[in-house]
């Protein structure tokens, strides 16, 4: 008898269904590494001035091996332990909101990259951030509503949750001003798209989300225009 569905698997199913993404050929769990896996696979490697063998922020990592490009989804042990203690499926709160957002963001990056690879298209870094910001808000809204026994959150509560997710931090800790600007641009564009989405009749939202996800970056940005 199968056990309960993991948070990773559940989120993967929700995200791929929302956007009509092509799922990776292997179970999502096979891509995940923790602190020890990071040390094993990426010892003495650096990216954007960061020692990849040292635990830090969650991230998607690509590496070349035997002429193949392999991907890993790194989640710090501490993040996973916190989400196990404060399961987002039981509700979002101060203790788990940030880690849930990070968990979703990096999983979204992996799924978008896998879909792009399967469909032979390139994805810009700012596009990954924009897509993930939209996904984080939508999944948080869904999970929090379900934990309260609601089909959807009241508009005021939904907007407060979006503010908590997208209006936090100014990225001063990022390695370069270029990275900070990328994050800020993606966040602002996500706000505009979400406004458009929530103003769209419910029966048309799924089609809009799939159009947004599959569009090249210029069209994505046009969909985010005020």
């Amino acid at each position: 008898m199968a056990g309960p569905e993991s948070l990773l698997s559940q989120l993967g199913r929700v995200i791929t269904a929302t956007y009509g993404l092509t799922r990776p050929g292997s179970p999502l769990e096979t891509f995940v590494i923790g602190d020890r896996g990071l040390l094993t696979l990426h010892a003495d490697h650096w990216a954007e001035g960061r020692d990849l063998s040292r635990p830090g922020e969650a991230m998607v990592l690509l590496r070349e091996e035997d002429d193949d490009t392999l991907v890993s989804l790194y989640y710090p042990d501490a993040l996973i332990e916190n989400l196990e203690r404060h399961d987002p499926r039981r509700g979002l709160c101060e203790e788990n909101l940030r880690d849930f957002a990070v968990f979703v963001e990096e999983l979204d990056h992996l799924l978008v990259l896998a879909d792009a690879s399967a469909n032979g298209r390139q994805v810009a870094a700012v596009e990954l951030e924009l897509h993930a910001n939209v996904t984080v808000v939508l999944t948080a809204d869904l999970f929090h509503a379900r934990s309260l026994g609601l089909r959807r959150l009241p508009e005021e509560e939904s907007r407060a949750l979006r503010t908590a997710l997208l209006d936090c931090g100014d990225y001063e800790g990022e390695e370069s001003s270029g990275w900070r600007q990328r994050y800020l641009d993606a966040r602002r564009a996500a706000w505009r798209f979400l406004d458009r989405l929530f103003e769209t009749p419910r029966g048309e939202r799924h089609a809009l989300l799939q159009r947004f996800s599959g569009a090249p970056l210029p069209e994505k940005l046009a969909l985010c225009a005020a």
Side-chain angles (χ1 to χ4, degrees):
M1 182 175 179
E5 187 177 24
S6 69
L7 178 63
L8 182 76
S9 178
Q10 186 175 355
L11 281 166
R13 178 170 50 79
V14 168
I15 293 169
T16 53
T18 296
Y19 298 112
L21 299 176
T22 303
R23 287 194 65 129
S26 302
L28 293 175
E29 286 79 5
T30 62
F31 296 97
V32 176
I33 60 173
D35 294 350
R36 183 175 296 179
L38 184 70
L39 176 61
T40 300
L41 293 173
H42 298 282
D44 302 321
H45 292 172
W46 291 71
E48 298 295 334
R50 175 180 168 188
D51 182 356
L52 295 182
S53 66
R54 297 189 177 187
E57 294 295 321
M59 56 187 165
V60 173
L61 292 161
L62 303 176
R63 68 186 190 280
E64 299 295 329
E65 188 173 299
D66 298 328
D67 297 324
D68 286 332
T69 300
L70 305 180
V71 61
S72 299
L73 177 55
Y74 166 62
Y75 288 127
D77 291 357
L79 182 147
I80 296 301
E81 290 165 3
N82 186 50
L83 291 180
E84 288 176 344
R85 284 195 305 271
H86 306 284
D87 192 331
R89 290 169 289 191
R90 296 196 297 266
L92 296 175
C93 57
E94 184 177 345
E95 286 78 11
N96 65 11
L97 183 61
R98 182 183 181 280
D99 281 348
F100 177 76
V102 171
F103 190 90
V104 172
E105 178 182 5
E106 298 306 324
L107 175 58
D108 190 76
H109 290 344
L110 172 69
L111 294 172
V112 169
L113 287 170
D115 179 80
S117 176
N119 291 284
R121 70 183 188 90
Q122 298 293 315
V123 183
V126 69
E127 188 176 355
L128 284 175
E129 298 301 332
L130 169 57
H131 196 285
N133 279 331
V134 171
T135 302
V136 165
V137 170
L138 295 179
T139 53
D141 200 285
L142 173 66
F143 272 57
H144 196 48
R146 284 180 176 177
S147 74
L148 299 173
L150 303 172
R151 290 187 61 190
R152 62 184 66 93
L153 290 178
E155 183 175 349
E156 183 176 342
E157 190 168 348
S158 178
R159 195 163 189 88
L161 182 58
R162 192 197 320 182
T163 299
L165 290 165
L166 295 186
D167 277 4
C168 56
D170 56 7
Y171 307 109
E172 286 300 326
E174 293 305 323
E175 291 83 351
S176 70
S177 60
W179 277 55
R180 287 196 295 273
Q181 193 60 47
R182 187 185 88 195
Y183 286 128
L184 290 168
D185 290 345
R187 187 174 68 183
R188 291 165 184 152
W191 261 108
R192 293 193 297 269
F193 178 77
L194 288 162
D195 281 340
R196 176 173 186 166
L197 179 68
F198 291 133
E199 290 168 1
T200 299
R202 290 190 180 277
E204 301 174 18
R205 292 180 186 178
H206 192 214
L208 177 58
L209 283 166
Q210 294 202 346
R211 179 185 169 194
F212 167 80
S213 182
L217 181 57
E219 185 179 342
K220 272 190 176 69
L221 295 176
L223 289 171
C224 299

